[in-house]
Amino acid sequence: ASSMVNSGLCLRLRPSLRKLRFSSNILVKPPTSSRELVDWLDETLHAAGIQRSAIVAASRGAWMATHYATCFPERVERLALICPVGITRGLSLSFLVRGLTTMGVRPTEERIWSFVDAMVMPTTRRSLRQDPWRLIMQQFVCGAVGFKAAVNRPLMNPWPMRPDCDLRPLAEARMPVLAIMGRDDSCHDGPKAAARFRQQLPAAQIELISDAN
């Protein structure tokens, strides 16, 4: 999200974002639970005057959006999840170990780039170093180098280590849901995650993409 401050969209939205008024100190208090993340998102939407919306989210953001939709299904028109984690399956042990050792033990630009490259298919790695992704990835890598000191801070929590989303409210609300995941996802087992999505949300559109991470 922080990388998007450089995008043209956020530049156009910046005057409106400055006008937001929040009723609590939730923005200055690091969230420690999924419920606090839901409250933060709900307050942000309320402050922006958005009463009902369609949500598109990726990775951990998909997990946050799903929690929000299950708590406030009446405020979500439809939901699109790209590479969702922590919803029907938690993060894989190998991904967690490599991520923590890379980001938290001895982060260097070379090691972080290696970690990022492992999360995409070989055929698409070059695009990360080309516009428009180049600036976003450079910001991520530079920020991650200084991430070690923050590993044990509350800001790291919550994190979708294991599946903790109850999808029944989405099914009961008959909310249109699209979930797109890679068959070769490095965060978890993509085919098993897709199968559990289909089992828990039979009416949802579940797309399992081959040769995708």
Side-chain angles (χ1 to χ4, degrees), residues 61-132:
W63 173 75
M64 294 167 59
T66 301
H67 270 292
Y68 181 78
T70 57
C71 289
F72 299 104
E74 72 282 358
R75 288 176 47 77
V76 180
E77 180 181 335
R78 55 189 182 277
L79 190 62
L81 310 172
I82 305 170
C83 301
V85 297
I87 299 174
T88 59
R89 288 187 67 84
L91 296 171
S92 69
L93 179 60
S94 60
F95 177 82
L96 285 171
V97 170
R98 182 167 185 180
L100 290 174
T101 55
T102 299
M103 307 281 284
V105 177
R106 190 169 54 87
T108 65
E109 288 193 18
E110 182 180 359
R111 297 185 73 219
I112 293 168
W113 268 115
S114 177
F115 177 62
V116 170
D117 284 339
M119 291 191 288
V120 298
M121 302 304 293
T123 54
T124 58
R125 286 174 186 164
R126 180 178 297 181
S127 64
L128 296 180
R129 294 163 174 81
Q130 299 173 343
D131 292 334

Side-chain angles (χ1 to χ4, degrees), residues 1-10 112-113 116 127-144:
S2 59
S3 299
M4 295 306 292
V5 298
N6 294 319
S7 72
L9 175 61
C10 278
I112 293 168
W113 268 115
V116 170
S127 64
L128 296 180
R129 294 163 174 81
Q130 299 173 343
D131 292 334
W133 299 106
R134 179 177 58 84
L135 291 176
I136 294 175
M137 294 310 304
Q138 284 179 349
Q139 182 181 359
F140 171 78
V141 171
C142 290

Side-chain angles (χ1 to χ4, degrees), residues 66 69-71 73 87 165-175 199-202:
T66 301
T70 57
C71 289
I87 299 174
C165 292
D166 182 2
L167 301 181
R168 287 176 294 182
L170 304 186
E172 293 169 359
R174 298 182 178 180
M175 182 184 302
Q199 181 181 16
Q200 297 180 34
L201 287 177

Side-chain angles (χ1 to χ4, degrees), residues 18-68:
R18 289 198 185 105
K19 297 177 182 178
L20 296 185
R21 294 294 182 267
F22 297 90
S23 59
S24 72
N25 63 350
I26 195 167
L27 285 180
V28 297
K29 176 185 176 183
T32 58
S33 67
S34 59
R35 182 66 209 200
E36 288 186 1
L37 285 172
V38 166
D39 291 340
W40 164 78
L41 180 55
D42 190 55
E43 185 174 0
T44 301
L45 292 174
H46 271 295
I50 300 173
Q51 301 304 317
R52 195 163 185 261
S53 62
I55 298 179
V56 180
S59 190
R60 185 191 182 212
W63 173 75
M64 294 167 59
T66 301
H67 270 292
Y68 181 78

